[in-house]
């Protein structure tokens, strides 16, 4: 298939592009580089051994989006593009609603006009609101911050479109906590600012860019008092997209919701200690107050995904830490190294 990958220069998009090319798809990337760097493209071409056409524009620009669809015959779209920082979304809600919603409107409008009927959409466990432990896909959706609401709203928009046009095939993929990096150590997660997420923060402590990890709360109702999350290796996540795309070719359902997680929970301290094993030394940390908005436990029920996609995660927490460390130690300043 010829696949348009929006946000293909970003963290998850870049890892997915490699796997799409590996199974024989033609990939075209659109990205405005608002949260990624063009440097990643040369690395992707080296890893895939292929030329990757890249269009650098903002998907909110409908004329450019329309022009791209008119000049290429896409079979499917994988839509990663969007802003994703929870805290920033509370500070700048309009920017989040506008960027995330308008880019989706623009893409889906162009899909309709050019008879492209398959879309894989990056949703998130955040749509389970405060009820994220053992979440099954039929759980009611809600959100606790503007970023989360953009995902709930985009899912609703896609459901309504699919209701009106039953020929459409949409995959709403609800990711839990993506971490890790490509085995080569040449691509990985590269936050432009102070990392909000646990894994890149630990990695930056390990490489000496941050003094110590603050563990946000050790008095939760969990075995060691720190929060439990369902971490998924970005390579397993990328494979989930390939599987979802294939499943859209055989399903009779217009809207397909699949959790992408391991189904297992890991605490903050367990993750820190796993990273210490990967690095081979202890890492400095302190116990800090709880972070506003955190839930104690978040992990997926992946039985529907396992059954319907024939997919399950392969990589362990130790793989996630070893691969993140390889990327971070080979690229201490990320893509600016
Ligand atoms: P990322 O920021 O690394 O990648 C997103 C890419 O989209 C970036 O390259 C950015 O430049 C691009 N982009 C943003 N707005 C754009 C626009 N209007 N036009 C064109 N390009 C635009 O993020 P990621 O971690 O790879 O996440 C990908 C998707 O997965 C996002 O939609 C995110 O909300 C979702 N998601 C991520 C996580 C996570 O923890 N990383 C978890 C759940 C869901
Ligand atoms: C994990 C755990 C923190 C940093 C977020 C979004 C979610 C989804 C994935 C997009 C929590 C603790 C963290 C630190 C810490 N993204 N922590 N010290 O909050 O589960 O999910 O990313 O859809 O919507 O909310 O991930 O990595 O930020 O936190 O102790 O410096 O690590 O309190 O318990 P989270 P996270």
């Amino acid at each position: 298939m010829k696949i348009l990958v929006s946000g293909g220069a970003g963290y998850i998009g870049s890892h997915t592009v490699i796997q799409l090319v590996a199974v024989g798809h033609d990939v075209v990337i659109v990205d405005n580089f608002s949260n990624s760097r063009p440097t990643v493209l040369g690395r992707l071409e080296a890893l895939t051994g292929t030329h990757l056409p890249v269009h650098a524009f903002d998907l909110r620009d409908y004329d450019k989006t329309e022009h791209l669809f008119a000049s290429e015959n896409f079979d499917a779209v994988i839509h990663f593009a969007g802003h994703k920082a929870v805290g920033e979304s509370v500070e700048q809600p309009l920017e989040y609603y506008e960027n995330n919603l308008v880019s989706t409107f623009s893409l889906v409008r162009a899909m309709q006009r050019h008879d492209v009927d398959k879309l894989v959409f990056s949703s998130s466990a955040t749509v389970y609101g405060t009820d994220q432990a053992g979440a099954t896909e039929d759980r009611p959706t809600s959100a606790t911050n503007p970023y989360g609401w953009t995902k709930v709203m985009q899912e609703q928009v896609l459901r309504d479109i699919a209701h009106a046009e039953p020929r459409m095939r949409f995959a709403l993929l609800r990711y839990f906590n993506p971490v890790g990096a490509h085995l080569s150590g040449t691509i990985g997660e590269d936050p432009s600012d102070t990392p909000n997420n646990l894994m890149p923060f630990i990695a930056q402590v390990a490489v000496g860019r941050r003094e110590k990890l603050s563990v946000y709360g050790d008095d939760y109702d969990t075995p060691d008092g720190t929060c439990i999350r369902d971490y998924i290796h970005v390579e397993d996540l990328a494979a989930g997209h390939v599987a979802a795309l294939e499943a859209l070719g055989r399903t009779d359902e217009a809207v397909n919701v699949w959790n992408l997680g391991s189904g297992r929970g890991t605490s903050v301290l367990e993750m820190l200690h796993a990273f210490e094993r990967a690095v081979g030394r202890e890492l400095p940390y302190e116990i800090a107050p709880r972070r506003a908005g955190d839930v104690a436990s978040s992990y997926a029920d992946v039985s529907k995904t396992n059954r319907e996609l024939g997919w399950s995660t392969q990589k362990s927490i130790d793989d996630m830490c070893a691969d993140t460390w390889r990327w971070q130690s080979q690229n201490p300043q990320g893509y600016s190294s």
Side-chain angles (χ1 to χ4, degrees):
M1 288 196 271
K2 182 180 272 194
I3 298 163
L4 178 63
V5 180
S6 86
Y11 172 46
I12 304 167
S14 58
H15 289 81
T16 305
V17 163
I18 295 172
Q19 296 199 19
L20 291 169
V21 172
V23 298
H25 296 301
D26 288 334
V27 170
V28 175
I29 292 172
V30 57
D31 201 301
N32 67 354
F33 299 100
S34 57
N35 196 40
S36 52
R37 301 210 173 75
T39 323
V40 71
L41 302 170
R43 299 186 183 197
L44 280 179
E45 292 199 337
L47 288 167
T48 57
T50 188
H51 169 66
L52 295 166
V54 178
H55 298 266
F57 66 82
D58 192 314
L59 281 165
R60 287 173 290 180
D61 186 330
Y62 180 68
D63 290 342
K64 288 187 177 152
T65 308
E66 162 63 26
H67 185 258
L68 177 60
F69 276 74
S71 58
E72 303 265 11
N73 243 332
F74 295 122
D75 298 295
V77 176
I78 306 187
H79 180 27
F80 293 103
H83 293 332
K84 63 165 182 176
V86 171
E88 190 179 63
S89 80
V90 176
E91 307 292 322
Q92 303 170 30
L94 184 55
E95 175 62 23
Y96 270 67
Y97 285 114
E98 189 182 59
N99 190 59
N100 291 4
L101 291 171
V102 176
S103 59
T104 299
F105 297 158
S106 180
L107 260 182
V108 178
R109 167 82 64 207
M111 288 176 63
Q112 284 178 324
R113 291 243 169 104
H114 295 276
D115 287 328
V116 181
D117 60 2
K118 295 185 195 65
L119 174 76
V120 177
F121 173 66
S122 297
S123 190
S124 167
T126 195
V127 303
Y128 296 117
T130 55
D131 194 14
Q132 296 190 17
T136 49
E137 290 86 349
D138 54 3
R139 215 170 259 191
T141 56
S142 69
T144 57
N145 56 71
Y147 165 71
W149 283 116
T150 72
K151 293 297 180 191
V152 174
M153 289 177 187
Q154 287 172 97
E155 284 199 0
Q156 187 61 42
V157 167
L158 294 173
R159 282 177 200 286
D160 290 344
I161 292 168
H163 182 73
E165 295 174 61
R167 73 186 170 88
M168 295 304 236
R169 292 291 177 269
F170 294 149
L172 311 181
L173 302 185
R174 295 179 178 162
Y175 315 157
F176 279 69
N177 288 61
V179 298
H182 189 261
L183 205 54
S184 65
T186 60
I187 64 166
E189 188 171 13
D190 182 20
S192 50
D193 235 318
T194 307
N196 301 303
N197 296 114
L198 178 66
M199 192 69 142
F201 202 104
I202 296 177
Q204 292 193 7
V205 171
V207 86
R209 282 172 66 181
R210 313 265 161 210
E211 187 194 338
K212 60 181 173 216
L213 173 71
S214 295
V215 174
Y216 298 138
D218 69 347
D219 57 353
Y220 286 96
D221 185 16
T222 61
D224 68 12
T226 66
C227 292
I228 301 277
R229 293 291 180 274
D230 183 341
Y231 297 95
I232 172 170
H233 196 296
V234 66
E235 296 268 49
D236 281 331
L237 187 60
H241 289 73
V242 176
L245 202 56
E246 281 167 12
L248 288 188
R250 57 177 187 261
T251 180
D252 294 329
E253 302 287 330
V255 178
N256 301 269
V257 187
W258 289 304
N259 285 337
L260 291 182
S262 70
R264 288 181 298 276
T266 301
S267 78
V268 176
L269 286 177
E270 283 171 337
M271 188 54 113
L272 174 69
H273 296 320
F275 210 93
E276 290 174 331
R277 286 196 293 279
V279 179
R281 61 187 146 83
E282 288 189 2
L283 297 173
Y285 74 96
E286 65 177 4
I287 302 298
R290 290 182 175 197
R291 182 174 71 176
D294 275 341
V295 296
S297 271
S298 169
Y299 54 91
D301 182 317
V302 281
S303 43
K304 177 175 187 281
T305 311
N306 293 166
R307 192 175 61 246
E308 294 181 1
L309 297 189
W311 165 97
S312 59
T313 57
Q314 305 296 315
K315 306 239 182 203
S316 67
I317 291 288
D318 285 321
D319 295 329
M320 300 175 204
C321 293
D323 295 344
T324 302
W325 179 233
R326 189 176 308 104
W327 151 252
Q328 189 72 72
S329 52
Q330 289 180 16
N331 304 270
Q333 303 297 326
Y335 288 110
S336 334
S337 299

